[in-house]
Amino acid sequence: MLFDKPKKSFFGKLSEKISEVFLGRTVDEELLEELEEVLITSDIGMDTTMKIIGQLREDVRKQGLTTEQQVKDRIAGIVESLIDKGENHQICQEIPLVILMIGVNGGGKTTSIGKLANKFKQEGKSVLLAAADTFRAAAGEQLELWGERVGVNVISHHEGADPSAVIFDAIQSAKARHIDVLICDTAGRIQTKKNLMVELEKMNKIIGREYPEAARETLLVLDATTGKNAISQAKEFGEITDITGIVLTKLDGTAKGGIVITIADEFNMPVKFIGVGEGMDDLKEFDPAEFAGGLFNE
Amino acid sequence: MAFESLSDKLQGVFKKLKGKGVLTEADINEAMREVKLALLEADVNFKVVKDFVSSVKEKSLGSDVLESLTPGQQVIKIVNDELVTLMGGANSKLTYSPRGFTIFLMVGLQGTGKTTTCGKLANYLKKNGKKPMLCACDIYRPAAIDQLEVVGKSVDVPVFTMRECREPEIIAEKAVKEAEMKGYDVLIVDTAGRLQIDEALMDELVRVKKAIKPHEILLVVDAMTGQDAVNAAAGFDEKLGIDGVIMTKLDGDARGGAALSVKQVTGKPIKFIGLGEKFDALEPFHPERMASRILGMGDMLSLIEKA
Ligand SMILES: Nc1nc2c(ncn2[C@@H]2O[C@H](COP(=O)(O)OP(=O)(O)OP(=O)(O)O)[C@@H](O)[C@H]2O)c(=O)[nH]1
Ligand SMILES: Nc1nc2c(ncn2[C@@H]2O[C@H](COP(=O)(O)OP(=O)(O)OP(=O)(O)O)[C@@H](O)[C@H]2O)c(=O)[nH]1
Ligand SMILES: [Mg+2]
Ligand SMILES: [Mg+2]
């Protein structure tokens, strides 16, 4: 079933905690304050937490909510309304499609590319990968191994090569071979590093210039363990590229990934996939209803 | 700069405090509420924040503080001292085996920076007159061994590998023998990233530990981590018994809450911080300097040392 794992980690935990908070109490201010703590410890930012609790408080009063289940359902409903971006959760179905994977260091870009390639291949699409991380030690080898594992080709240059040149070559190759989906790996970069962001901007522009007829996805890879810094990541990366979605990785751990609720709320960015492991099948489509509904269901 | 937003917020609180000749309990409560919010927004673990604030409050409400001529300054000093304690007091150095051959085992969650830090640490040790060797025990991540080899080459340190072997404890054991035989005095062992709740992989680390008895087990933690930092740190510490922490990726605008939380939760000090992807971007961690930087008291010591 979808969301099996995150339910256990994020929502299972959250749910247990909320049950602890309740234990047969009435819904009062003190209780709302404790619920607020639960949300904060899930990395949901302060502003979003206040917003959720504020809404909850109003609903408790207006709708006369009294039981634990009622309050849980209401929080789930509020969270769902914050993260639900409708159709935008689906990855673009048009071809040819170019996907640019971006994000800070070590978030899971390369691994998610391997998983995505696998998914497209299983759908019968032809896939090509571009190893435009020419900086990190053995980044090209890592992507090539993923290519081998999944059975797709990888365009790569030597270490230290211009990443835009790799993308340029990959585009020409994708056109010549009538590839359905081209996925470009990029080096991890801290969003405050000006020169690295300029480099990324250049890669982004090359795709637009060299392959205007292709549909585009720019996916920001976010590690679920990330705290408030994710907001700065969404903002800075969003300023130089048109982010079409988020891949939320490492949800198989104990991290709750709550920051994504804040991001969806503040930046209107849809989560498209979640990563729940290191294997090629450990990528799941994001479903806001399940995500929110799973919040308090054991 | 890392810690910047926390720094800004705390200094805002202090400005208000400083301006007051007399402090009432209400003033302190208000200030502590703001400190609490600032720390939470900086990703400091929720429980750590609660303890921190109640401890500062308790000390601030003592009559000697409230009745002093500069109560605001006194409270700031209390916050400063508590921050230093939170981060681990004085700088904790790496320790070496008295036997003359030291083993450092690097562990942590996926993607935190272990492999890169292996290279940085080797580079640092070399500069301090040591003769380090690296050992590749990540048998899972695609191209992990290649990565460590490239890293080793960059810092000109040999890398021990056994590409066909699927048992990290055997690889590590052989590396120890080889390093000792060849006259190296430090072995740095890279391991695969893993979740602290992954029992099979945690058991694997326990086997490596048993096999080579590392002098220090260093947990590599990403500074951008949120509330989960303490779960991971506590998990690794419980299972393995870590000796110290290396906090990476502090070169961005990370709020640094993880750094403020792991020491408190594990009792183990942060020994180094990583400030970039290059192999010289590693610095010993000085809690008192970091505290004064956060509080905007100027990183005097660092400045003096650089001049
Ligand atoms: N547990 C878990 N680990 C993951 C997941 N996604 C990626 N990883 C691991 O995280 C580590 C980093 O992944 P990479 O794909 O190399 O990350 P990256 O963003 O490409 O890293 P850089 O290119 O160095 O910036 C690897 O050990 C991956 O196996 C996930 O969903 N769950
Ligand atoms: N900006 C910055 N990047 C860093 C720092 N330390 C490591 N990195 C980057 O973080 C990413 C992950 O680093 P690795 O050394 O591969 O991490 P790891 O913990 O070995 O990853 P796994 O083996 O997959 O668990 C790489 O892109 C590194 O270049 C740091 O202090 N600052
Ligand atoms: Mg990568
Ligand atoms: Mg590694």
Side-chain angles (χ1 to χ4, degrees), chain A residues 203-255:
Chain A
M203 289 186 245
N204 188 39
K205 279 189 183 145
I206 295 248
I207 303 173
R209 194 187 71 203
E210 294 299 318
Y211 212 174
E213 65 273 33
R216 297 283 304 271
E217 286 270 7
T218 303
L219 301 179
L220 177 69
V221 176
L222 262 188
D223 182 331
T225 58
T226 315
K228 309 293 183 304
N229 192 258
I231 297 169
S232 158
Q233 292 169 27
K235 179 172 175 290
E236 302 294 333
F237 280 104
E239 266 167 28
I240 58 158
T241 57
D242 189 8
I243 296 171
T244 55
I246 289 171
V247 179
L248 186 64
T249 61
K250 309 185 193 176
L251 264 178
D252 46 326
T254 47

Side-chain angles (χ1 to χ4, degrees), chain A residues 258-283:
Chain A
I259 196 64
V260 84
I261 299 169
T262 309
I263 290 178
D265 179 31
E266 282 182 29
F267 298 90
N268 204 27
M269 285 177 194
V271 181
K272 297 214 166 174
F273 295 99
I274 59 169
V276 291
E278 299 181 81
M280 64 178 159
D281 296 316
D282 294 327
L283 185 80

Side-chain angles (χ1 to χ4, degrees), chain A:
Chain A
M1 200 194 90
L2 216 69
F3 278 100
D4 247 0
K5 278 179 166 174
K7 202 184 279 172
K8 253 182 264 150
S9 51
F10 177 61
F11 299 113
K13 274 272 165 57
L14 193 60
S15 188
E16 272 165 35
K17 275 203 222 159
I18 290 191
S19 299
E20 270 170 37
V21 168
F22 274 97
L23 282 177
R25 290 170 40 188
T26 53
V27 185
D28 56 12
E29 269 307 308
E30 194 190 338
L31 178 66
L32 290 177
E33 216 165 273
E34 284 176 37
L35 287 172
E36 186 181 301
E37 290 181 6
V38 174
L39 296 178
I40 289 168
T41 52
S42 311
D43 283 319
I44 301 173
M46 190 66 79
D47 289 345
T48 311
T49 296
M50 294 303 187
K51 195 161 157 180
I52 296 170
I53 295 293
Q55 180 72 50
L56 180 68
R57 183 177 285 123
E58 206 180 304
D59 294 350
V60 163
R61 195 168 42 81
K62 277 195 193 146
Q63 304 172 10
L65 307 179
T66 48
T67 69
E68 170 172 343
Q69 196 54 45
Q70 283 174 330
V71 176
K72 282 181 176 181
D73 288 347
R74 194 70 281 275
I75 295 193
I78 297 167
V79 169
E80 186 186 335
S81 69
L82 291 176
I83 53 167
D84 192 350
K85 306 292 172 196
E87 294 297 291
N88 294 336
H89 291 290
Q90 269 119 49
I91 190 99
C92 175
Q93 294 297 319
E94 288 163 44
I95 52 166
L97 171 67
V98 179
I99 303 177
L100 183 65
M101 297 291 265
I102 60 176
V104 297
N105 309 78
K109 294 174 291 302
T110 309
T111 307
S112 298
I113 288 173
K115 296 174 183 174
L116 269 177
N118 181 52
K119 173 191 143 62
F120 286 121
K121 235 199 124 197
Q122 292 197 330
E123 289 170 3
K125 289 179 174 149
S126 56
V127 182
L128 182 68
L129 306 181
D133 177 357
T134 56
F135 176 77
R136 214 216 51 225
E141 284 87 339
Q142 186 188 2
L143 193 69
E144 272 163 26
L145 282 171
W146 269 108
E148 258 171 50
R149 195 180 270 183
V150 176
V152 302
N153 288 317
V154 181
I155 301 290
S156 60
H157 289 186
H158 58 91
E159 205 180 304
D162 178 4
S164 291
V166 179
I167 291 192
F168 182 90
D169 278 3
I171 290 173
Q172 308 316 319
S173 177
K175 283 184 189 168
R177 298 192 226 174
H178 302 288
I179 294 288
D180 297 328
V181 187
L182 168 64
I183 314 178
C184 308
D185 192 15
T186 63
R189 65 201 76 224
I190 301 281
Q191 70 276 15
T192 52
K193 302 222 162 139
K194 202 70 203 253
N195 55 334
L196 294 181
M197 294 305 269
V198 169
E199 179 193 86
L200 184 63
E201 203 173 7
K202 191 173 149 204
M203 289 186 245
N204 188 39
K205 279 189 183 145
I206 295 248
I207 303 173
R209 194 187 71 203
E210 294 299 318
Y211 212 174
E213 65 273 33
R216 297 283 304 271
E217 286 270 7
T218 303
L219 301 179
L220 177 69
V221 176
L222 262 188
D223 182 331
T225 58
T226 315
K228 309 293 183 304
N229 192 258
I231 297 169
S232 158
Q233 292 169 27
K235 179 172 175 290
E236 302 294 333
F237 280 104
E239 266 167 28
I240 58 158
T241 57
D242 189 8
I243 296 171
T244 55
I246 289 171
V247 179
L248 186 64
T249 61
K250 309 185 193 176
L251 264 178
D252 46 326
T254 47
K256 296 155 188 162
I259 196 64
V260 84
I261 299 169
T262 309
I263 290 178
D265 179 31
E266 282 182 29
F267 298 90
N268 204 27
M269 285 177 194
V271 181
K272 297 214 166 174
F273 295 99
I274 59 169
V276 291
E278 299 181 81
M280 64 178 159
D281 296 316
D282 294 327
L283 185 80
K284 308 262 181 258
E285 270 161 32
F286 181 81
D287 180 328
E290 255 177 300
F291 189 82
L295 226 90
F296 310 111
N297 297 335
E298 261 5 279

